[in-house]
Amino acid sequence: MQLMRLNRVNLVALVAILATSAISSNSSNMSVLLPITRALAQTPETNTSQAARLSNLCREDVNKKQYQAALQSCQLAATTAQGMGDRSTQGKSLNNLGKAYQNTGNLQQAQLENNPLKAEADKLIEQGNKQLDPSQFRAALGSYEQALKIYQSIKDQKGEENALNGLGRAYDSLGDYKKAIDYHNQSLAIARAIGDRFGEAASLGNLGIAYYKLGDYKKAIDYHSQHLAIARAIEDRLGESHSLGNLGLAYDSLGDYKKAIDYYNQDLAIARAIGDRLGESHSLGNLGLAYDSLGDYKKAIDYHNQDLAIARAIGDRLGESASLGNLGNAYNNLGDYKKAIDYHNQSLAIARAIGDRLGESASLG
């Protein structure tokens, strides 16, 4: 029986952490992955909690006159708030970001925050992010390209970095990974030049994703390892979780299942610690697949059942379908064909209900 499409999920196209960017929660948002079918996305609850926490941290940094720290916390707060459509929190965070720039002597950047051209470009970035979500990739390219020209004209390097990142994500979604790599490298160069550690981490993660899709797993590991190091340094727990999951996927693809399991377990621990239920679900599914690859089908079934329970609890229909299909595969490997057929039929029904043609094809075998 042909195996169902795999449920390995953490490869997520990361949105640059800039004041003008939006974290696409399918995301990734963040777009996703081979050979996986579910994009790693934060649940609304996770985003709401994170935005509130970051906004409070941003305000505290400014009130304590810790302006260098505020540059980072306020950028991330504004990004997260924009990604979830919380204009109020985004506006407050951007206002505090402007105060931080003023107090660090960066008057030019502070003035940029009030430039009407910048506002126009920011709207184009937001438009591009929204276009990526429903797979309007060509339209998204146009939005990001227009934004890039404006940012370049007003010498807004942070905005330029964000637009380049968006272009990289759009080309990645279109399957043009070499062009995606080119844009992500340009974004990375700017992030490093201006000291934007969050943007640097995002670009490194996106480069890892592109190389993974090209089948260059060793290079993917290198970039994800760099992303992981920065995420830990700046205490970005969600970014740390993503990079650990992506490292697990790369080692999984190399056939090093034990190392993959180690990374998946670290990813799972963080997802649980920060309340990222969808991330937890993905980690459990990835662990199930790794144990399936090792021939430990009973342990695989245990993890897939946990994955299935969460997918149903959070209303992730695509994830539910994938989990059911993976359970079908595991029971098939155990020789329990009746149970395998039952799970594949359940998976097929959901795939048809949500219009998932790839999942439908996999379930039919």
Side-chain angles (χ1 to χ4, degrees):
M1 180 182 292
Q2 179 181 343
L3 293 182
M4 177 183 171
R5 56 201 168 95
L6 300 183
N7 165 32
R8 302 170 185 154
V9 194
N10 254 358
L11 274 177
V12 184
L14 303 174
V15 179
I17 308 301
L18 302 171
T20 57
S21 69
I23 290 183
S24 156
S25 103
N26 282 320
S27 249
S28 163
N29 135 279
M30 289 176 182
S31 70
V32 221
L33 282 26
L34 294 185
I36 303 97
T37 57
R38 291 186 292 168
L40 178 56
Q42 301 134 7
T43 62
E45 293 77 12
T46 299
N47 269 336
T48 300
S49 175
Q50 186 183 31
R53 178 178 62 81
L54 291 169
S55 179
N56 289 335
L57 178 59
C58 163
R59 185 180 63 255
E60 288 173 7
D61 285 340
V62 171
N63 290 340
K64 292 178 181 178
K65 299 184 179 181
Q66 297 175 347
Y67 299 119
Q68 289 295 337
L71 291 177
Q72 299 288 354
S73 61
C74 294
Q75 284 173 9
L76 185 54
T79 296
T80 306
Q82 184 179 4
M84 56 182 290
D86 184 351
R87 291 302 186 94
S88 176
T89 300
Q90 180 190 1
K92 292 175 183 177
S93 299
L94 288 174
N95 182 55
N96 282 323
L97 180 63
K99 292 178 182 178
Y101 278 124
Q102 288 177 337
N103 284 281
T104 53
N106 195 335
L107 297 178
Q108 180 181 4
Q109 187 63 40
Q111 291 169 351
L112 275 175
E113 297 302 321
N114 297 314
N115 189 318
L117 285 175
K118 175 178 171 56
E120 180 184 347
D122 290 350
K123 287 181 180 178
L124 285 166
I125 289 292
E126 185 175 356
Q127 177 176 290
N129 290 333
K130 290 179 178 178
Q131 289 165 331
L132 275 185
D133 194 39
S135 303
Q136 298 174 6
F137 306 130
R138 294 289 177 187
L141 283 177
S143 297
Y144 292 134
E145 286 169 350
Q146 291 180 62
L148 178 60
K149 291 178 181 178
I150 294 174
Y151 287 133
Q152 289 173 334
S153 72
I154 61 177
K155 302 187 186 308
D156 181 353
Q157 287 186 293
K158 287 184 180 294
E160 185 178 350
E161 175 196 344
N162 190 38
L164 290 166
N165 179 280
L167 285 165
R169 289 185 294 123
Y171 277 111
D172 184 283
S173 298
L174 287 167
D176 193 340
Y177 306 124
K178 291 185 178 180
K179 190 165 285 189
I181 287 169
D182 178 50
Y183 280 111
H184 287 312
N185 272 322
Q186 292 181 61
S187 179
L188 177 62
I190 294 176
R192 286 174 168 167
I194 63 178
D196 177 10
R197 296 285 275 167
F198 286 100
E200 180 181 1
S203 296
L204 288 167
N206 286 332
L207 283 164
I209 290 170
Y211 279 110
Y212 177 93
K213 289 183 176 181
L214 283 173
D216 193 338
Y217 305 124
K218 291 185 178 180
K219 191 164 283 190
I221 287 169
D222 177 46
Y223 281 111
H224 289 311
S225 293
Q226 293 181 64
H227 176 204
L228 176 61
I230 295 176
R232 285 174 169 167
I234 61 179
E235 299 182 354
D236 175 12
R237 295 286 276 166
L238 187 60
E240 182 180 359
S241 174
H242 289 174
S243 55
L244 286 166
N246 289 337
L247 281 164
L249 286 173
Y251 279 109
D252 200 319
S253 296
L254 286 172
D256 193 339
Y257 305 120
K258 290 185 178 180
K259 188 167 283 190
I261 286 170
D262 177 51
Y263 280 113
Y264 292 147
N265 274 320
Q266 293 181 65
D267 179 17
L268 176 62
I270 294 175
R272 285 173 168 167
I274 64 177
D276 179 8
R277 293 285 278 165
L278 188 55
E280 180 182 358
S281 172
H282 293 161
S283 301
L284 290 165
N286 288 335
L287 281 163
L289 288 164
Y291 278 109
D292 190 273
S293 296
L294 286 173
D296 192 339
Y297 305 125
K298 291 185 178 180
K299 188 168 283 189
I301 287 170
D302 177 50
Y303 280 113
H304 289 315
N305 273 321
Q306 293 181 64
D307 179 15
L308 177 62
I310 295 176
R312 284 174 169 167
I314 64 177
D316 177 13
R317 296 284 278 165
L318 186 60
E320 182 181 358
S321 176
S323 300
L324 289 164
N326 288 330
L327 281 164
N329 290 337
Y331 278 109
N332 180 74
N333 289 331
L334 280 175
D336 191 338
Y337 304 122
K338 289 185 178 179
K339 191 165 284 189
I341 290 170
D342 177 52
Y343 279 112
H344 282 305
N345 277 330
Q346 292 182 63
S347 176
L348 175 62
I350 294 174
R352 284 175 169 168
I354 63 177
D356 177 14
R357 299 301 297 275
L358 180 62
E360 182 181 350
S361 174
S363 296
L364 289 169

